[in-house]
Amino acid sequence: MKTHIALALWLATGSCAWAAENDVTHAGDSKAPVGWSTGAGTPVSAVRGAPVQPQSAASTNGNGQMAADSAPPSLNDVLPQHSPLFEQAQERVSPVTAKEARDLLLQQQDMDRALSTSTIAVIPKISALTVDLSPGASLPLVRTAVNYPSSLTFIDSTGAPWKLGAAPISGNPEITVMWVPNSPVMVISASRSFVSGNVTVYLDGLPVPIMLNVTSGEPDSKATTWTVDSRLDMRMPRRGPAALAGAAPESRIGLHDSILQTFLDGIPPKEAKRLKTTGNVPETTVWQLGDDLYIRSPSEIRDEFEATLSSADGTHLWKLPVTPYVTFSVMGRTSALNVSLE
């Protein structure tokens, strides 16, 4: 019996509370969320089941708008306030605003761009030179730069590769030398600008060492450009261990002919005229300078020539008298090159 009485009281009490809450919710706009006012009528209580105080006539104006002394509750009255510990953690995590963080990032990018801008423009170059091994000769110069290492390849007078016999030695710790064992290739790099020093190179079978003068810039120069030897073919003035038996004789190899070297580098003199050609000889260029032809080609010539010069990648330069017809060996077969003379 006591159990039935308690259950009846609980149901009656819950029904009254639900009815009061339902009445409060529907007192104003049915679409208004809890804790908000529609601006007209009775505000909805932020706490479910709390009694709603009736509005007096003086709390609204003639248009039904609420007066200043009966303004609706603000978000600060509804939302919970952060604790002091939360505010301290927020200050540590985000000491600046999002806009300030973006401004700092832009300033950092501008500073990085300014630091990475070089006052000297680097001009990479691929070239070749003949090393003078005689006493009293000047040391060959290798020009490098920071972030622009120089790759050196050693060849003999016929253009055949000449392998290094030992590790190269750098005389300046700011000039680093790396080499590939059992190959003719080495790389020189500088850790900062305007440093210089010597590098000693030992070739397999060559009785004398090769001394190189390396620099990463001229401190006394006011030039705004600096030419770097990105690839430099170092030609020895003699036949190496890998020289081919059928290579051109020494008398026809223009080791110290500067004109041949300019044509081989692909930068002929201004007076030279480039001629049109036909035939199945690929990657071949012909110039005329005076009464001579200068032919640059990776193929082997079969006609007589006066002088020749070769690079490490197998490109040859041939000098011969003016002729409208030249024969080459292309992949083991004979091919003709027709030259349109002017």
Side-chain angles (χ1 to χ4, degrees):
M1 180 62 69
K2 293 181 179 181
T3 304
H4 291 290
I5 295 174
L7 180 59
L9 291 175
W10 179 82
L11 290 174
T13 306
S15 299
C16 293
W18 176 84
E21 182 180 359
N22 193 38
D23 292 338
V24 172
T25 305
H26 290 80
D29 191 354
S30 60
K31 296 182 180 180
V34 176
W36 291 81
S37 174
T38 60
T42 306
V44 181
S45 175
V47 181
R48 295 287 186 179
V52 180
Q53 299 296 332
Q55 277 186 293
S56 62
S59 62
T60 58
N61 55 22
N63 297 328
Q65 297 179 352
M66 298 183 63
D69 57 350
S70 60
S74 64
L75 289 177
N76 294 331
D77 298 332
V78 178
L79 299 179
Q81 299 297 319
H82 294 308
S83 65
L85 291 178
F86 178 87
E87 295 178 354
Q88 294 178 7
Q90 186 181 33
E91 180 68 21
R92 181 180 296 273
V93 172
S94 180
V96 296
T97 64
K99 182 180 183 305
E100 292 173 341
R102 287 190 291 267
D103 293 341
L104 289 175
L105 181 59
L106 292 176
Q107 293 180 13
Q108 180 65 38
Q109 293 176 351
D110 292 340
M111 184 61 66
D112 294 340
R113 189 180 297 108
L115 293 176
S116 61
T117 302
S118 177
T119 57
I120 299 178
V122 175
I123 303 177
K125 183 181 180 181
I126 299 176
S127 59
L129 61 86
T130 301
V131 179
D132 191 351
L133 300 176
S134 60
S138 300
L139 300 182
L141 177 64
V142 179
R143 298 162 297 182
T144 187
V146 178
N147 301 328
Y148 291 86
S150 299
S151 179
L152 277 64
T153 303
F154 296 91
I155 58 177
D156 66 358
S157 59
T158 66
W162 198 323
K163 298 180 181 180
L164 278 74
I169 299 175
S170 175
N172 190 332
E174 295 180 315
I175 297 177
T176 304
V177 182
M178 296 178 291
W179 69 300
V180 181
N182 198 30
S183 78
V185 179
M186 60 178 265
V187 177
I188 300 177
S189 59
S191 60
R192 66 180 182 89
S193 302
F194 308 113
V195 297
S196 60
N198 288 347
V199 173
T200 305
V201 182
Y202 304 92
L203 297 184
D204 186 20
L206 189 66
V208 294
I210 303 172
M211 304 300 299
L212 305 177
N213 184 15
V214 181
T215 179
S216 61
E218 299 176 355
D220 298 333
S221 176
K222 301 300 182 181
T224 57
T225 59
W226 174 248
T227 303
V228 173
D229 296 311
S230 294
R231 197 196 86 192
L232 181 61
D233 298 340
M234 309 287 292
R235 186 185 302 108
M236 300 299 109
R238 60 188 64 184
R239 299 173 69 92
L244 299 177
E250 295 288 338
S251 59
R252 294 191 180 183
I253 299 178
L255 294 178
H256 303 285
D257 192 326
S258 59
I259 296 180
L260 289 180
Q261 187 64 60
T262 57
F263 281 104
L264 182 61
D265 292 340
I267 311 175
K270 296 181 180 180
E271 298 80 9
K273 297 180 180 180
R274 183 170 178 174
L275 304 180
K276 296 181 179 180
T277 60
T278 57
N280 193 16
V281 184
E283 301 180 34
T284 300
T285 308
V286 179
W287 294 275
Q288 180 178 353
L289 183 61
D291 296 332
D292 297 317
L293 291 183
Y294 293 85
I295 304 178
R296 187 175 186 262
S297 175
S299 303
E300 293 287 342
I301 195 171
R302 289 194 170 182
D303 293 341
E304 289 293 327
F305 59 90
E306 295 180 357
T308 183
L309 200 60
S310 302
S311 64
D313 65 338
T315 302
H316 308 288
L317 193 284
W318 316 92
K319 176 185 176 182
L320 62 158
V322 173
T323 176
Y325 185 86
V326 185
T327 305
F328 284 87
S329 175
V330 181
M331 301 182 66
R333 58 181 175 80
T334 301
S335 297
L337 182 70
N338 299 310
V339 182
S340 300
L341 301 178
E342 295 182 358

